Amino acid sequence: MPRYALASIIGVTILSVAAIAERLRFTAVLAAVLCGCFWFNAVQSLRGFNADPARDYRAFDPRPNSGLPVVVSNADLFLKLEEYGPPELKTRLYFLQDSAAALRFLGNDTGERNMRGLRQITSLPIVDYGPFVRVHPRFLVCGAFINRFDWLLQQLRSDGARVAYLRDAGDSFLFDVNMP
């Protein structure tokens, strides 16, 4: 829990309940119940700060024995899997970038520019779409059907790829992709 969060919550709760109680002429019992509600809500909100950020990604491996490349269409999830994912997955993980496709399907390529810049200063497997799909006619995609920041599945369908839903993968979906 952040160092001063608990003290701040106590202070804000007391001041808030005192102000509300004075304004609405609450009894002490009603003020204590309101105080308890504020406290419960605050503690529940702060529980996430102590959570292990890697927990959800350590065990993530879409198809451990397939050997197929795994393309993550969401930059945020890609970076989390690169940082926290199992080592076996990291060797198969890719992020595809294509500014023209992003402009075509999303109307902007800001995310593509960010990932292209990241590719220049890191060794992350951020690769161009065209060369990747020519070398890998079959691969897995972890993505979403409809996402306002995600052009990949739309581009794959536009290119005539067979995209088959396999299963849910956390907040995303896992697809088996076969290029024509």
Side-chain angles (χ1 to χ4, degrees):
M1 191 169 297
R3 186 174 181 179
Y4 298 107
L6 201 52
S8 298
I9 290 170
I10 292 170
V12 168
T13 300
I14 292 170
L15 285 173
S16 298
V17 170
I20 292 170
E22 178 67 29
R23 177 91 171 138
L24 299 178
R25 305 208 190 283
F26 279 2
T27 64
V29 172
L30 214 47
V33 168
L34 184 61
C35 188
C37 290
F38 274 131
W39 249 97
F40 178 77
N41 187 31
V43 170
Q44 292 300 317
S45 298
L46 287 174
R47 286 178 115 180
F49 288 122
N50 284 339
D52 178 9
R55 183 191 65 216
D56 296 336
Y57 307 106
R58 268 195 215 103
F60 183 89
D61 201 350
R63 283 190 148 175
N65 300 322
S66 72
L68 291 172
V70 178
V71 174
V72 181
S73 65
N74 177 290
D76 182 54
L77 178 59
F78 169 76
L79 294 172
K80 288 176 180 174
L81 287 171
E82 268 295 326
E83 181 66 24
Y84 303 121
E88 311 80 49
L89 174 64
K90 290 181 185 182
T91 60
R92 301 168 36 215
L93 207 58
Y94 292 91
F95 181 85
L96 304 184
Q97 77 97 45
D98 185 331
S99 290
L103 285 169
R104 179 175 165 203
F105 292 108
L106 306 178
N108 71 72
D109 68 342
T110 305
E112 301 305 297
R113 291 176 189 223
N114 289 338
M115 294 305 280
R116 191 170 45 241
L118 191 58
R119 176 173 66 177
Q120 292 173 354
I121 61 171
T122 67
S123 61
L124 292 172
I126 301 168
V127 298
D128 291 326
Y129 172 83
F132 179 88
V133 296
R134 280 192 290 279
V135 173
H136 302 282
R138 183 170 181 222
F139 53 94
L140 302 174
V141 170
C142 184
F145 285 113
I146 299 171
N147 181 337
R148 64 187 182 112
F149 302 114
D150 191 348
W151 57 266
L152 181 60
L153 290 171
Q154 296 173 70
Q155 182 65 46
L156 288 167
R157 286 192 293 264
S158 175
D159 288 344
R162 187 179 64 79
V163 179
Y165 168 81
L166 295 175
R167 65 179 172 85
D168 289 2
D171 292 335
S172 298
F173 304 101
L174 186 64
F175 302 95
D176 188 342
V177 176
N178 285 288
M179 296 303 292

